[in-house]
Amino acid sequence: MVITAPLTSKIKSYQGNPILKPSPKNGLKIESELMVFHVRSISKDRLIEKIGEISTDELKTALATLKDITTL
């Protein structure tokens, strides 16, 4: 199992959701918002290919948001 959060290109700038700018590291073609409040766990078998990864700062922002959501 892996924990995932979906991306959307329809940016709403929800508080705590990192906005990801396209880069060779993340593999995005357009600016996207990481929807932290839609976190899910899925089987590794469902993952077909790795497209990219987020930066350490983006991960820290996402984890801080997740902590805020789960400790209310």
Side-chain angles (χ1 to χ4, degrees):
M1 297 296 279
V2 294
I3 298 172
T4 64
L7 296 172
T8 182
S9 59
K10 295 181 181 180
I11 297 172
K12 303 285 186 180
S13 296
Y14 291 116
Q15 182 178 352
N17 283 350
I19 305 299
L20 309 176
K21 298 193 183 307
S23 74
K25 183 178 179 181
N26 65 27
L28 295 174
K29 292 181 173 62
I30 59 174
E31 194 171 83
S32 301
E33 184 171 4
L34 182 63
M35 307 294 281
V36 178
F37 52 87
H38 284 292
V39 69
R40 303 259 194 282
S41 57
I42 62 171
S43 169
K44 286 183 182 180
D45 296 335
R46 293 186 60 197
L47 301 176
I48 298 168
E49 68 178 292
K50 181 178 179 176
I51 296 170
E53 59 188 67
I54 62 174
S55 72
T56 302
D57 288 339
E58 292 163 339
L59 178 59
K60 286 180 183 177
T61 301
L63 291 173
T65 301
L66 191 56
K67 182 179 178 183
D68 287 346
I69 291 169
T70 59
T71 57
L72 291 178

